[in-house]
């Protein structure tokens, strides 16, 4: 991981939280379906950001970052669903959704500025 790459660091930390949440959901709550979907989307965010760092072109970079953004939106959906179905408490939800939305804002900004710089 590159030093001072905020979005890469935040997405990795988010993925760690998602893995821990998945372990908790399966062990303590016996919830397997939604948590598995969240595990896939939540860990994919950072993987795509990491992959974007080695992009072969600006278009490839934009594509990978856009996929990461879509995965962030999907993670947001699963977190909201887990909260509304009372698998996550308000405190648990508030804590992790803040991280998810922070990464979303960073990705939107990166994608927007990359597009503007390519005009």
């Amino acid at each position: 991981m590159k030093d001072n790459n905020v979005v890469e660091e935040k997405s990795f930390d988010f993925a760690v939280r998602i893995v821990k949440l998945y372990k908790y959901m399966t062990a303590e709550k016996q919830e397997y379906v939604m948590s598995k979907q969240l595990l896939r989307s939540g860990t994919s965010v950072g993987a795509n950001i990491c992959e974007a760092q080695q992009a072969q072109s600006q278009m490839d970079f934009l594509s990978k970052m856009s996929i990461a953004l879509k995965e962030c939106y999907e993670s947001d959906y699963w977190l909201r669903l887990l909260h509304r179905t009372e698998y996550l408490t308000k405190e648990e939800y508030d804590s992790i959704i803040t991280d998810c939305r922070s990464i979303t804002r960073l990705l939107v900004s990166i994608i927007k500025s990359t597009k503007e710089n390519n005009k």
Side-chain angles (χ1 to χ4, degrees):
M1 199 177 313
K2 292 181 181 178
D3 292 335
N4 300 322
N5 187 328
V6 174
V7 72
E8 198 169 342
E9 290 173 16
K10 283 182 178 262
S11 64
F12 184 83
D13 291 343
F14 180 68
V16 169
R17 290 190 72 191
I18 292 295
V19 170
K20 289 179 179 181
L21 178 57
Y22 173 75
K23 288 165 67 175
Y24 166 75
M25 293 300 266
T26 56
E28 301 294 323
K29 302 282 188 167
Q30 284 76 48
E31 198 301 308
Y32 303 98
V33 177
M34 292 181 288
S35 58
K36 183 70 161 195
Q37 291 293 113
L38 177 60
L39 177 67
R40 289 179 179 159
S41 63
T43 57
S44 181
V45 174
N48 279 288
I49 291 169
C50 189
E51 199 173 329
Q53 302 309 309
Q54 303 303 317
Q56 297 174 352
S57 65
Q58 283 297 118
M59 289 304 292
D60 188 29
F61 176 81
L62 275 171
S63 175
K64 298 293 188 262
M65 294 303 254
S66 295
I67 292 168
L69 180 59
K70 286 190 210 178
E71 297 293 341
C72 246
Y73 285 130
E74 182 179 341
S75 298
D76 189 297
Y77 173 83
W78 292 118
L79 288 167
R80 285 184 293 123
L81 188 57
L82 286 164
H83 173 61
R84 286 268 185 92
T85 55
E86 300 175 356
Y87 283 103
L88 289 176
T89 67
K90 180 170 175 23
E91 294 76 26
E92 291 166 335
Y93 170 77
D94 287 346
S95 173
I96 199 160
I97 201 69
T98 300
D99 290 350
C100 185
R101 290 181 178 164
S102 171
I103 296 165
T104 299
R105 285 190 300 277
L106 285 169
L107 287 169
V108 167
S109 177
I110 290 166
I111 291 167
K112 183 179 177 186
S113 64
T114 301
K115 285 180 179 178
E116 287 173 358
N117 291 337
N118 281 339
K119 287 184 179 179

